[in-house]
Amino acid sequence: MISISILFILLSNAVTLRRDISIIFNRIAILALIYCILQDTISLPIISKGIGLHGGLLHKTNITQIFSIFIFIISILIIQLTSFYPKKVFIPGYTPNNFNYINDYIYKFNYIINKIMNKIKMNEHLRIIEYPLILLFIIMGAILLMSANDLISVFLSIELQSYGLYLLSTLYRNSELSTMGGLIYFLLGGLSSCFILLGTSLLYANSGTTNLDSLYIIANISDTNIQDLWYKPYYINFSFLIFSLGFLFKVSAAPFHFWSPDVYDAIPTIVTTFVAIIAKISIFIFLLELVYYTQNNQDINWTFGLLISSFFSLIVGTVVGLTQFRIKRLFAYSTISHLGFILLGLGISSVESTQAFIFYLIQYSISNLNVFMILIVIGFSLYMYTNNNKEHEKLLDKNNSPVQLINQLKGYFYINPILSLSLAITIFSFMGIPPLIGFFGKQMILSAALDKGLIFLSLVAILTSVIGAVYYLNIIKEIFFYSPEYTVNPLFETIRIPVKKTIQSLNIFPAKLEENKSIINIKHNNIVISSSMALIISIITLIILLFMFFNKEWLSMGTILVQILFNY
């Protein structure tokens, strides 16, 4: 992945203009990730029980391969946000068959449009050259972490991923909020790394090995009924508990959640999309194998700490989320609440709960991606409107995070009804409303918890889901039940584009144009969302809405992965 991207970047530097270089780099990153998907797909049949690499430092299995492909796909969807201009122009009357879209990357035609966008700094996210390169290193760290089979490779992988995320958070150098958020993330991320190092040192001191396979054997040695060993079961359990605290810190599970709302809210929304999704997938897949191979029959097991964290996450994510009025902080607490469900499925570690855990992790990652993409697209569309609300005008870092308050969405249904419905469907899925995909995820987790006898935690999860619906419904109320306060930005009321000089030279329109028609007047409603964003949001929304009609393949994949893990 790194080699291909470096090669193409060197080539692109030689053939492209400076203003397009960041967009070219993003597209190169997408090509590198597509190659990785093909490579992993081809190697899937080769790997069954698993293959050790580099003297046991890495261990590739079907679960890590499947989730590597999943991370690549999610990353491609996130990178395409910065691979194309966010807007395109639709001009009826001047196109073949009166229905043709003109993409923003046609330089000559869109020069005037982009000049206007630059005045309001709408295209600022397209100028950061380092963005896709840092993303590739984060993805590499995530892939290595899922396959890590040694305490040394675990620490190196998590740090490679984390350092990239710190850099990504502070990538917008002119943003004071972004720098502050990145600094908070760096300092508290360093603290979480201390927990991981402390757990690693305790594990090595108690066992004399850094290889996870050896640690798995020692963790289950109590089953042999040998009483005269120096080893005691709680040694290894305590060490694994300390070790896991660092990872709970990284995924912002309660009670180690306090950094995530501030960081989510401070960094630009495009960066938040990546930080909120990719880091969690890799850590949870690593913890999945760690939990499975270290479960034993002792009364005291370190996985009990995951269930305690699940309980706190459900409570904190729901109760504190009720007081939020900033939308990204609200989604941060929503994530903490959903982490409670994920940790509940992870901590039980049965066949049914593991299947539910895999399903919930995939569906929540997709839904979370859809919410942030819709939020970004809403921000792009609101650039064409002005608002007399002084509170909105005084918002810091408006160029990088145009939608910061929930009340900025007031009456948005009357501006873009289809996008509003997509957001509503995704939010209802978060709430667990049947027959949306989120309902099936919660139902599977709760079913596994009840089978294991965790009635109290199941009741807490059900109650917090009901209470959490309140802050989700507040967003729905703002969008659908109020009139909009927005008026069209004067810059976009009428845009005059010369036909003969700008368009006819591109041979896009019919050759015969009216002699007296030398300009085109474009209104604000002629400028629409680009095809790439509209297509991805549409597909994800349809998956969330229609999952019950094509669930067989998805659930079958989860069942097969669990059977391989549990050696059935």
Side-chain angles (χ1 to χ4, degrees):
M1 178 179 72
I2 298 296
S3 303
I4 288 173
S5 57
I6 288 173
L7 177 63
F8 276 103
I9 283 168
L10 290 174
L11 291 174
S12 66
N13 266 321
V15 299
T16 189
L17 296 171
R18 183 71 184 174
R19 75 177 290 278
D20 293 328
I21 201 164
S22 178
I23 294 174
I24 295 292
F25 283 5
N26 279 282
R27 293 176 187 176
I28 290 169
I30 290 176
L31 288 175
L33 292 173
I34 289 172
Y35 170 79
C36 292
I37 292 173
L38 294 174
Q39 192 71 25
D40 275 0
T41 306
I42 292 167
S43 63
L44 263 178
I46 303 170
I47 299 171
S48 54
K49 295 293 183 183
I51 294 176
L53 301 172
H54 303 294
L57 287 176
L58 301 174
H59 183 235
K60 297 295 287 185
T61 64
N62 277 332
I63 289 180
T64 60
Q65 289 288 88
I66 290 290
F67 276 92
S68 295
I69 294 170
F70 181 64
I71 283 179
F72 292 143
I73 292 170
I74 294 289
S75 302
I76 287 171
L77 298 182
I78 295 172
I79 293 174
Q80 66 82 34
L81 290 170
T82 48
S83 300
F84 303 95
Y85 287 112
K87 293 291 181 181
K88 63 183 179 182
V89 182
F90 166 64
I91 310 175
Y94 285 93
T95 58
N97 302 321
N98 291 329
F99 196 78
N100 184 32
Y101 288 98
I102 304 190
N103 291 322
D104 277 350
Y105 54 76
I106 301 176
Y107 175 75
K108 293 180 182 178
F109 178 75
N110 289 287
Y111 177 73
I112 298 173
I113 299 292
N114 288 320
K115 195 173 180 182
I116 294 170
M117 302 297 187
N118 291 338
K119 281 184 182 178
I120 54 176
K121 298 187 178 180
M122 182 178 173
N123 288 341
E124 198 165 341
H125 66 286
L126 299 173
R127 299 197 189 94
I128 300 175
I129 296 173
E130 303 89 352
Y131 176 76
L133 307 179
I134 294 172
L135 254 56
L136 290 181
F137 278 100
I138 297 170
I139 294 164
M140 188 170 74
I143 301 304
L144 291 174
L145 176 61
M146 290 193 295
S147 307
N149 198 44
D150 193 284
L151 294 175
I152 306 300
S153 56
V154 168
F155 184 73
L156 291 176
S157 303
I158 191 67
E159 290 306 292
L160 176 60
Q161 175 181 285
S162 299
Y163 287 159
L165 291 170
Y166 306 150
L167 289 172
L168 198 64
S169 300
T170 56
L171 202 57
Y172 288 70
R173 302 182 191 88
N174 298 326
S175 167
E176 184 180 339
L177 278 179
S178 176
T179 307
M180 180 194 73
L183 188 59
I184 292 171
Y185 195 12
F186 170 67
L187 293 174
L188 296 179
L191 178 62
S192 67
S193 297
C194 292
F195 279 105
I196 295 173
L197 276 177
L198 176 59
T200 299
S201 60
L202 289 174
L203 286 168
Y204 180 69
N206 288 332
S207 63
T209 180
T210 59
N211 188 271
L212 288 180
D213 286 337
S214 303
L215 290 168
Y216 297 154
I217 294 169
I218 294 171
N220 291 282
I221 203 169
S222 55
D223 296 338
T224 60
N225 295 320
I226 297 175
Q227 302 296 327
D228 56 347
L229 288 177
W230 63 270
Y231 163 76
K232 296 293 185 292
Y234 61 83
Y235 290 172
I236 206 84
N237 277 321
F238 180 73
S239 303
F240 271 123
L241 181 62
I242 299 292
F243 187 66
S244 66
L245 292 183
F247 289 101
L248 292 177
F249 217 118
K250 297 279 187 189
V251 297
S252 74
F256 313 104
H257 65 283
F258 41 83
W259 62 269
S260 67
D262 293 329
V263 172
Y264 279 31
D265 194 38
I267 61 181
T269 309
I270 285 178
V271 176
T272 310
T273 309
F274 197 85
V275 172
I277 299 172
I278 299 297
K280 293 178 174 54
I281 298 172
S282 59
I283 290 172
F284 276 123
I285 296 304
F286 169 73
L287 288 176
L288 172 63
E289 294 197 350
L290 194 68
V291 168
Y292 171 71
Y293 287 114
T294 56
Q295 60 181 343
N296 53 43
N297 299 322
Q298 296 298 311
D299 293 333
I300 301 173
N301 199 330
W302 72 273
T303 55
F304 188 68
L306 299 178
L307 296 178
I308 294 174
S309 179
S310 169
F311 172 74
F312 282 116
S313 297
L314 289 167
I315 299 294
V316 170
T318 302
V319 174
V320 184
L322 293 172
T323 63
Q324 302 304 313
F325 59 91
R326 297 182 68 86
I327 193 160
K328 285 198 290 182
R329 288 183 72 89
L330 187 147
F331 283 136
Y333 283 107
S334 164
T335 298
I336 294 166
S337 177
H338 285 281
L339 287 176
F341 279 93
I342 293 172
L343 287 169
L344 181 56
L346 180 64
I348 296 169
S349 191
S350 64
V351 175
E352 186 183 1
S353 72
T354 305
Q355 185 178 354
F357 162 81
I358 290 173
F359 176 76
Y360 200 100
L361 184 61
I362 292 174
Q363 68 87 16
Y364 181 69
S365 300
I366 291 173
S367 301
N368 216 17
L369 173 63
N370 203 39
V371 158
F372 278 110
M373 283 191 69
I374 291 172
L375 206 61
I376 289 166
V377 171
I378 289 174
F380 287 144
S381 66
L382 290 182
Y383 275 120
M384 294 189 292
Y385 296 87
T386 55
N387 192 341
N388 294 325
N389 191 320
K390 292 183 179 179
E391 185 184 16
H392 297 172
E393 292 299 320
K394 293 179 181 178
L395 288 174
L396 296 175
D397 210 19
K398 280 177 61 180
N399 296 326
N400 299 324
S401 297
V403 181
Q404 297 181 29
L405 304 176
I406 295 173
N407 61 19
Q408 283 180 270
L409 301 175
K410 184 177 286 186
Y412 189 76
F413 176 74
Y414 298 98
I415 296 173
N416 192 328
I418 296 176
L419 204 58
S420 301
L421 288 171
S422 294
L423 181 58
I425 289 168
T426 312
I427 287 175
F428 281 133
S429 177
F430 282 162
M431 291 163 58
I433 302 295
L436 303 177
I437 193 171
F439 165 75
F440 294 101
K442 290 187 176 182
Q443 184 264 336
M444 290 171 71
I445 294 284
L446 292 172
S447 174
L450 289 171
D451 284 349
K452 202 71 172 178
L454 299 174
I455 298 172
F456 175 70
L457 264 179
S458 301
L459 286 173
V460 170
I462 293 168
L463 286 173
T464 51
S465 291
V466 174
I467 297 169
V470 173
Y471 58 70
Y472 288 129
L473 288 173
N474 187 35
I475 301 174
I476 302 295
K477 182 184 73 172
E478 292 285 346
I479 294 173
F480 291 92
F481 294 96
Y482 291 106
S483 299
E485 299 176 347
Y486 293 98
T487 55
V488 180
N489 190 326
L491 284 170
F492 290 94
E493 283 183 352
T494 302
I495 303 169
R496 301 167 68 85
I497 296 183
V499 175
K500 301 278 186 183
K501 294 179 181 178
T502 309
I503 298 175
Q504 198 171 15
S505 61
L506 296 175
N507 297 319
I508 294 173
F509 298 100
K512 294 182 180 179
L513 293 170
E514 298 177 30
E515 294 297 330
N516 58 349
K517 201 96 171 183
S518 59
I519 60 168
I520 295 176
N521 292 327
I522 296 177
K523 301 292 184 183
H524 72 281
N525 50 8
N526 294 126
I527 303 173
V528 294
I529 303 167
S530 67
S531 301
S532 57
M533 292 186 189
L535 182 64
I536 291 170
I537 290 172
S538 302
I539 291 172
I540 296 177
T541 305
L542 287 174
I543 289 172
I544 293 169
L545 184 62
L546 305 175
F547 169 76
M548 63 181 297
F549 296 110
F550 53 89
N551 55 22
K552 185 178 178 182
E553 291 77 12
W554 199 334
L555 295 175
S556 297
M557 182 196 73
T559 305
I560 292 167
L561 289 177
V562 171
Q563 287 176 346
I564 292 170
L565 179 65
F566 282 80
N567 298 315
Y568 283 175

